Amino acid sequence: MTIELRRPVHDPIVLDDPERLSFRVDRRAYTDEDLAARELTRIFDRCWLYVGHESEVPAPGSYVARDVGGRPVVMARGSDGVIRVFANSCPHRGALVCSQPAGQVRSFRCPYHDWTFSNQGDLVGVPIPDGYGPGFRKADFGLARHQSDSYRGFVFVTFDPQQPRTLTEYLAGATEYLDLVDDQSAAGMEVIRGAQLHGAQANWKLMMENSVDIYHFRALHKRYVGYMESLGSVPPRRRGGFGRALGLGHGANELPPAAARPLAYWTPMFGPEVRPRIEATAARFVERFGPERAQRITGTNRALLIFPNLMIIDAIAITIRKIDPVGAGRMAITSVALAPRDEDPDIRELRKSHYLTFLGPAGFATPDDIEIIESCQRGYLNRAVRYSDLSRGMNKEVPETTDELPAREFWRQWDRLMHGDDGHHEPGRRAGAQGAGPR
């Protein structure tokens, strides 16, 4: 058990000094259980949180059940075609009404007392109803419904009844990157069936930082760099690209041109047999969007952080990664792959293969990342070093992908919310927090 040194509550966690080009984070933020508990109420109870993709509930009655912000919820498409997000808890005595991760039903049944709910959340059946008085009304006991909305197929929920922003307002500059994802298919995008569920013995924020940290790529992922080179492909360069702060904690890194994109950017690692089809797809994007927009969609690798806990890695495959805290020193990770609905079957298999090869729990990259963030978490036990430094790139007008601008944007929003900022105003620009790159 970690014993934390208690410091005054006014002692800051984030030390942001643009004049001195210094940005430091007290390592208590990764180890203190009191802070971890406060994150649930000040961040996860207040933000818009990612639930899932509309394609996961394609037909009336289809549903997925998962934890969001520490709360069990059900995302279901009702018989009326509307997607809703419910508390996965019976209003009678609290048991889960849905114990399977996904499926299709006409109704949900609580296994405790057989209370039954429609797939729209209404209470429709109560055994032995004469045990209740004349004031009992089924309409008062439907599944609790959470406020939810979607943008380009990505469904979010908020547990804050006073949420000051619409989803689109909350997403701020991240909408541009979600557009780039969804525009990859005129037929729509879909989550490939099957999720990867794993975790790490480290604080959840370490994985958020790691996921937008390109600085580590060649140092930590030497095996994958060698693998790419052995197949005739060029791994990401140490320099180049740009980072952007997208507002409200969101950030992105972008690497043009792409090293490999099964969507429309061929490299030798994909094999010569699929080259004509990939190049034909690239030509269709130019016809549909024009050369500049087509290059923006298909010719760059991107890592998008949506505050607080969603990563979309749009590179050799599209990975949606939800990272949930489990106390100060543990996290749960849920990853799925996204792809065009109308994708060529051979290209789909290629995409799935590279998704697993690089970003799968047993792939080239993810085990490296988990091992290193767990190493950081263990290193924090030596409290002689109090701060971690995230100041790289503060001296640049246009930070590169190897700089730490997206991580600083994340931490500035974390700091605002943990200090009780109600989020009603758009934070002003600070030196070193500028955005960059094409729109």
Side-chain angles (χ1 to χ4, degrees):
M1 182 179 69
T2 300
I3 300 175
E4 290 297 328
L5 298 178
R6 297 299 176 185
R7 297 184 176 95
V9 293
H10 62 271
D11 199 10
I13 295 291
V14 176
L15 300 181
D16 185 3
D17 191 344
E19 292 184 2
R20 291 183 173 84
L21 302 179
S22 175
F23 194 102
R24 297 187 297 165
V25 176
D26 193 315
R27 292 175 177 179
R28 284 180 292 154
Y30 307 98
T31 62
D32 190 286
E33 292 289 354
D34 290 340
L35 283 175
R38 272 190 281 162
E39 284 177 338
L40 291 179
T41 57
R42 298 192 179 187
I43 294 177
F44 288 89
D45 281 357
R46 297 177 60 193
C47 293
W48 283 95
L49 305 175
Y50 178 70
V51 183
H53 194 266
E54 290 180 356
S55 64
E56 295 181 90
V57 286
S62 54
Y63 71 88
V64 292
R66 52 186 52 136
D67 284 356
V68 175
R71 305 187 189 207
V73 302
V74 177
M75 179 176 74
R77 189 182 292 271
S79 296
D80 57 359
V82 176
I83 295 176
R84 301 174 178 85
V85 180
F86 302 110
N88 190 1
S89 177
C90 182
H92 176 219
R93 299 283 285 278
L96 298 179
V97 298
C98 185
S99 58
Q100 298 300 312
Q104 187 167 3
V105 296
R106 291 185 179 179
S107 60
F108 297 103
R109 183 187 68 84
C110 175
Y112 200 174
H113 299 96
D114 267 349
W115 281 33
T116 306
F117 306 85
S118 73
N119 56 28
Q120 297 175 208
D122 301 318
L123 177 62
V124 294
V126 177
I128 319 176
D130 59 4
Y132 295 96
F136 179 83
R137 300 190 314 151
K138 290 180 181 177
D140 296 333
F141 289 90
L143 296 175
R145 182 175 173 183
H146 299 302
Q147 181 182 349
S148 62
D149 200 358
S150 66
Y151 183 83
R152 300 301 295 263
F154 295 88
V155 181
F156 292 77
V157 66
T158 180
F159 303 121
D160 182 1
Q162 305 300 321
Q163 171 58 242
R165 287 187 171 88
T166 66
L167 175 59
T168 302
E169 291 170 341
Y170 176 84
L171 291 172
T175 57
E176 175 191 359
Y177 286 85
L178 295 178
D179 292 342
L180 292 172
V181 170
D182 198 51
D183 281 346
Q184 292 179 29
S185 174
M189 303 294 286
E190 66 179 2
V191 167
I192 299 174
R193 185 175 181 181
Q196 300 171 353
L197 309 174
H198 58 105
Q201 300 293 319
N203 186 272
W204 68 280
K205 298 183 291 297
L206 281 168
M207 183 57 82
M208 300 306 297
E209 292 175 1
N210 171 274
S211 298
V212 286
D213 182 328
I214 310 299
Y215 190 34
H216 77 265
F217 187 87
R218 280 184 173 265
L220 187 63
H221 302 313
K222 289 184 174 68
R223 291 181 306 148
Y224 188 66
V225 169
Y227 171 71
M228 292 182 71
E229 292 174 340
S230 73
L231 296 176
S233 292
V234 180
R237 301 185 300 271
R238 285 190 182 274
R239 306 296 299 270
F242 55 84
R244 290 180 62 186
L246 304 175
L248 299 175
H250 317 312
N253 272 323
E254 193 158 340
L255 280 167
R261 294 290 297 279
L263 174 73
Y265 197 99
W266 182 87
T267 66
M269 68 189 300
F270 292 152
E273 65 279 1
V274 298
R275 183 171 186 173
R277 281 174 280 178
I278 290 178
E279 291 180 344
T281 301
R284 288 194 293 272
F285 273 96
V286 173
E287 293 173 2
R288 182 180 168 200
F289 293 103
E292 184 176 346
R293 178 68 176 172
Q295 170 65 18
R296 185 92 171 92
I297 294 170
T298 68
T300 58
N301 288 327
R302 298 173 286 266
L304 171 65
L305 186 160
I306 296 180
F307 188 90
N309 67 327
L310 175 65
M311 284 300 312
I312 299 177
I313 303 170
D314 185 2
I316 198 166
I318 304 174
T319 301
I320 303 174
R321 179 185 283 172
K322 185 170 75 76
I323 301 158
D324 293 300
V326 186
R330 290 179 57 208
M331 73 182 81
I333 302 170
T334 304
S335 294
V336 296
L338 192 71
R341 291 182 190 274
D342 55 350
E343 191 165 48
D344 180 293
D346 290 341
I347 305 301
R348 171 65 63 88
E349 290 304 310
L350 186 65
R351 178 189 298 274
K352 289 162 61 177
S353 173
H354 284 280
Y355 165 68
L356 293 171
T357 298
F358 183 58
L359 289 166
F364 278 103
T366 301
D368 292 342
D369 291 331
I370 290 176
E371 182 178 9
I372 204 66
I373 63 173
E374 290 184 340
S375 174
C376 291
Q377 191 76 23
R378 291 194 299 273
Y380 295 159
L381 296 176
N382 188 327
R383 293 182 292 276
V385 181
R386 181 172 173 183
Y387 296 101
S388 290
D389 184 87
L390 289 88
S391 60
R392 184 177 174 85
M394 291 182 75
N395 60 328
K396 300 176 184 176
E397 182 65 26
V398 180
E400 297 179 60
T401 54
T402 53
D403 296 324
E404 293 163 333
L405 174 61
R408 289 193 293 274
E409 179 69 10
F410 170 92
W411 276 109
R412 285 176 175 134
Q413 182 69 354
W414 182 93
D415 197 46
R416 284 189 288 265
L417 291 176
M418 291 295 283
H419 280 88
D421 187 315
D422 62 8
H424 282 268
H425 66 279
E426 174 66 38
R429 289 281 187 195
R430 300 188 188 188
Q434 67 272 32
R439 293 270 178 177

